[in-house]
Amino acid sequence: MSFQILWLFRIVLIVTFISNGSCFPDQAWYYSFVKDAKLAPMFARFDYIIIGGGTSGCALAATLSQNASVLVLERGGSPYDSPSATDIGNFATTLSNTSPKSWSQLFISEDGVYNTRARVLGGGSVLNAGFYTRAGDDYVKEAEWKSDEVEAAYEWVEEKVAFQPPVMGWQTAFKDGLLEAGEFPYNGFTYDHINGTKIGGTIFDQAGHRHTAANLLEYANPNSLAVYLHANVHKILFTTKGI
Ligand SMILES: Cc1cc2nc3c(=O)[nH]c(=O)nc-3n(C[C@H](O)[C@H](O)[C@H](O)COP(=O)(O)OP(=O)(O)OC[C@H]3O[C@@H](n4cnc5c(N)ncnc54)[C@H](O)[C@@H]3O)c2cc1C
C-alpha cells in the first residue's frame, strides 16, 4: 500500500482540551518534558495520545516513548510541586483535601458510595494507601500474559516504586491474629501474591516518602514524550481524513 493510501486511511486523533490556566512556573527541573498546558503549541502530531497521566498512564507513556512519540494530557498538577504532601504522615490530609484545585476529587458512585479519585500526575498512586503486591499466577494465566514479560514488568516497577515496609506493633498484632485464625502458611515479607499470611510491599520508602507512578517517567525517552499538566480533556474528535 502506498504512503498516500496509508495516509488516507490513517485515523487522526484530534484532542481538544482546555488549559485551566493555573500557575505552573518554569520549574520543570524534574522532567524536561513536563509542562503546563498553557505552553502547548497550537498544533502537533504524535503517534500516541494518552488521556490521563495516572498510575497506568505514566507507565504506558514511559514504555511507548521508547519507540514512538507520545503526548500525555493530565488534568491535574504535579506531585513534585509539594513533595511532602505525599509523605506517609500526610496521607489522610492529602486524601481528604477535596477543595477545587486539590489532588483529590470527591465523587459519588452510581450506587451512591462517596469516594475520591485522583487529579494529579501519577494518579491514584499519589493518594492511595500504597500497598504493593504482584498479581496472582491465576490472574496472569487468565489474562493470557506472557510470564517472562510479566516478570520483567515487575522488576521495572519495583526498581522505582516498591519497598519492604517497617512493621509496626499493630501490624504485628494483626498478622498474629491472622495466624491464630489459621491463615497459614506464614510467608514473611514477599511481593508475591500467595495463599496464607504475608508482609506485602509498599510504595513508601523507609523514610516515609511516597514513590508514585510519576517516578516511572524516569524511564521515558525525554526526546519523544510531552506531558501537559492542567490539560482537562473535554472532547475527542476522530477523523479518517488526513489533516
Ligand atoms: C483511597 C484509595 C486507596 C487505595 N489504595 C490502594 C493500595 O493500597 N494499593 C493499590 O494497588 N491500589 C490502591 N488503590 C487503587 C489504585 O490507586 C487505583 O486502582 C489506580 O491508581 C488506578 O489507576 P488508573 O491509571 O486506572 O487511574 P488513575 O491513577 O486514577 O489515573 C487517572 C488519571 O486520569 C486523569 N484524568 C481523568 N479525567 C481526565 C480528563 N478528562 N482529562 C485529562 N486527565 C484526566 C486523572 O487526573 C488521573 O491522573 C486505592 C484507591 C483509593 C481511592
Side-chain angles (χ1 to χ4, degrees):
M1 201 180 284
S2 74
F3 181 74
Q4 283 84 356
I5 296 172
L6 261 178
W7 248 117
L8 198 66
F9 286 98
R10 185 170 169 181
I11 295 175
V12 179
L13 179 67
I14 304 167
V15 179
T16 58
F17 61 94
I18 295 176
S19 160
N20 289 342
S22 69
C23 167
F24 184 66
D26 187 19
Q27 55 177 224
W29 46 266
Y30 50 97
Y31 293 133
S32 58
F33 47 80
V34 178
K35 297 192 171 80
D36 192 275
K38 279 191 294 185
L39 301 174
M42 286 301 288
F43 186 85
R45 274 178 199 283
F46 294 88
D47 297 320
Y48 295 98
I49 300 173
I50 298 171
I51 298 169
T55 309
S56 51
C58 286
L60 186 62
T63 306
L64 290 175
S65 72
Q66 299 305 321
N67 298 305
S69 62
V70 182
L71 169 67
V72 175
L73 298 172
E74 167 52 48
R75 66 179 177 157
S78 162
Y80 300 104
D81 283 351
S82 184
S84 65
T86 60
D87 287 352
I88 199 159
N90 291 324
F91 165 58
T93 314
T94 301
L95 183 66
S96 58
N97 176 9
T98 53
S99 58
K101 289 194 174 177
S102 68
W103 297 342
S104 182
Q105 180 189 32
L106 188 69
F107 76 101
I108 306 168
S109 71
E110 281 173 9
D111 42 3
V113 178
Y114 279 73
N115 204 340
T116 56
R117 60 183 160 211
R119 186 170 41 192
V120 60
L121 186 68
S125 69
V126 175
L127 299 176
N128 70 19
F131 179 71
Y132 174 82
T133 185
R134 294 179 170 192
D137 288 342
D138 290 349
Y139 185 91
V140 171
K141 214 172 168 184
E142 224 169 273
E144 296 180 7
W145 291 335
K146 291 184 184 151
S147 56
D148 56 329
E149 289 178 1
V150 170
E151 283 298 317
Y154 289 147
E155 281 172 28
W156 190 84
V157 170
E158 287 160 13
E159 171 75 24
K160 299 283 181 199
V161 303
F163 303 90
Q164 178 170 0
V167 181
M168 312 286 177
W170 67 269
Q171 290 162 314
T172 304
F174 190 70
K175 176 206 71 177
D176 291 345
L178 286 171
L179 294 174
E180 214 175 300
E183 289 299 332
F184 289 113
Y186 177 58
N187 300 295
F189 166 72
T190 177
Y191 291 144
D192 289 336
H193 185 91
I194 41 183
N195 286 336
T197 298
K198 71 167 187 175
I199 309 288
T202 175
I203 61 174
F204 292 99
D205 64 22
Q206 292 292 326
H209 299 306
R210 181 191 287 266
H211 293 233
T212 76
N215 294 59
L216 298 174
L217 292 172
E218 288 168 26
Y219 286 120
N221 176 353
N223 300 318
S224 48
L225 177 61
V227 178
Y228 288 112
L229 302 178
H230 305 115
N232 199 355
V233 175
H234 287 251
K235 202 184 278 182
I236 303 170
L237 307 174
F238 292 93
T239 175
T240 51
K241 291 183 193 143
I243 55 165

